[in-house]
Amino acid sequence: MKPLLALNWKLQKSPAESYAWGRALLEQIPEELPAELAVMAAAVSLDRLGNALRGSEVHWGAQDVSQHAKGAYTGEIAVQWLNELDCAYVVIGHSERREYHGETDTIAGAKTAVAIRGGVKPILCVGEKLEVREAGHAESHTLGQLETALSWLTPELVQSEFAGSLEWLTIAYEPIWAIGTGKTATPDDAENMGNTMRAWFVGKYGTMAEQVRLLYGGSVKPDNIKALCSRNNVNGALVGGASLELESVLKMLEALV
Ligand code: PGA
């Protein structure tokens, strides 16, 4: 599976900045991309970012989506509208959404279902706080998040509704203590959690489990991306801080060759 380099711009780039960045990117990226590249921008920037990137191999997507299709939900963004803007991906259940907007695993699960049914691939984020890791519960905590968020996704449903495929599902393991802190998990930490998550998927979905893409996120940058993404069950990265400068994204792509 080709690695996925997913850029999480958070609340950092305006519509005009997103457009300019997208145009500059296309002038500088190599013709053959060593990884699938997806830029997750603010909802109001997606139209312009899409205009900048349309026709290229680079994908774009959103950082959140409403669990509702339509209705009296002030401030929410419907998956259908993301689809209309040709978003390929949407980040769901990021730890900042959980921390500042009260998102639970149940809500993240509902959004995951809404996203895929609406034609936008979810990148579901999971991961533990420092005290949970220090208490030795990182794996049980992270698997518990998957268990709750994906409780609706029974193996029977995968067969009946998704043609027996889990190719559309991406999980980003983002230990909260490593996000924006400069403290990266070691490649061993990332691989261990990747292996643990893969085993959980195999236990539940059998051979289909191999199709799920597993990312690592948390202080990924040009000088550590290769060591992380060359490990088993680390199929790419979700990158925040190091995704803002074009030069750093080009270096990360180079590292993945
Ligand atoms: P970071 O953010 O790369 O700045 O640690 C990662 C994320 O929040 O997805």
Side-chain angles (χ1 to χ4, degrees):
M1 148 182 0
K2 213 176 186 185
L4 172 63
L5 178 57
L7 312 183
N8 178 10
W9 277 354
K10 308 191 181 188
L11 185 61
Q12 302 285 13
K13 285 193 197 288
S14 73
E17 288 164 347
S18 301
Y19 180 86
W21 196 99
R23 297 307 299 176
L25 173 76
L26 294 192
E27 279 168 21
Q28 295 185 52
I29 46 169
E31 222 163 85
E32 289 260 319
L33 285 178
E36 185 182 342
L37 182 60
V39 188
M40 258 52 73
V44 294
S45 298
L46 289 169
D47 194 23
R48 297 195 66 186
L49 180 65
N51 287 340
L53 297 176
R54 196 166 277 109
S56 76
E57 269 183 57
V58 183
H59 294 119
W60 58 95
Q63 300 170 8
D64 183 32
V65 66
S66 177
Q67 61 183 303
H68 306 288
K70 201 174 183 147
Y73 301 103
T74 301
E76 297 272 274
I77 310 279
V79 70
Q80 203 189 328
W81 305 339
L82 297 182
N83 203 347
E84 198 174 308
L85 295 178
D86 299 320
C87 288
Y89 290 98
V90 56
V91 175
I92 287 174
H94 189 279
S95 61
E96 287 150 16
R97 302 290 317 167
R98 293 172 187 259
E99 168 108 14
Y100 308 127
H101 302 273
E103 277 197 22
T104 60
D105 292 320
T106 305
I107 294 172
K111 290 182 172 186
T112 302
V114 157
I116 185 56
R117 288 184 171 129
V120 181
K121 291 185 206 161
I123 300 177
L124 173 64
C125 300
V126 292
E128 80 286 350
K129 290 188 173 155
L130 186 58
E131 58 265 33
V132 173
R133 174 157 285 260
E134 285 176 345
H137 302 316
E139 297 193 350
S140 58
H141 171 88
T142 303
L143 295 185
Q145 289 183 305
L146 288 180
E147 190 78 58
T148 305
L150 298 178
S151 58
W152 60 278
L153 189 66
T154 62
E156 298 72 37
L157 190 75
V158 180
Q159 293 300 344
S160 62
E161 199 180 334
F162 302 112
S165 171
L166 283 173
E167 262 170 21
W168 48 270
L169 183 59
T170 299
I171 307 293
Y173 167 60
E174 296 209 312
I176 295 167
W177 46 270
I179 296 180
T181 58
K183 258 196 215 167
T184 320
T186 64
D188 282 347
D189 292 336
E191 177 171 344
N192 288 341
M193 192 62 83
N195 290 343
T196 299
M197 294 194 296
R198 185 74 70 197
W200 181 85
F201 275 103
V202 170
K204 193 157 174 184
Y205 302 99
T207 52
M208 294 182 291
E210 291 305 323
Q211 301 167 342
V212 178
R213 187 132 59 169
L214 302 176
L215 308 183
Y216 167 77
S219 299
V220 176
K221 40 189 185 277
D223 62 14
N224 62 21
I225 193 167
K226 192 183 175 112
L228 289 159
C229 292
S230 55
R231 292 303 190 96
N232 268 338
N233 291 317
V234 183
N235 313 127
L238 181 57
V239 185
S243 74
L244 300 173
E245 299 294 334
L246 186 50
E247 202 190 322
S248 138
V249 172
L250 294 171
K251 280 192 188 147
M252 287 190 285
L253 280 174
E254 221 167 87
L256 290 173
V257 171

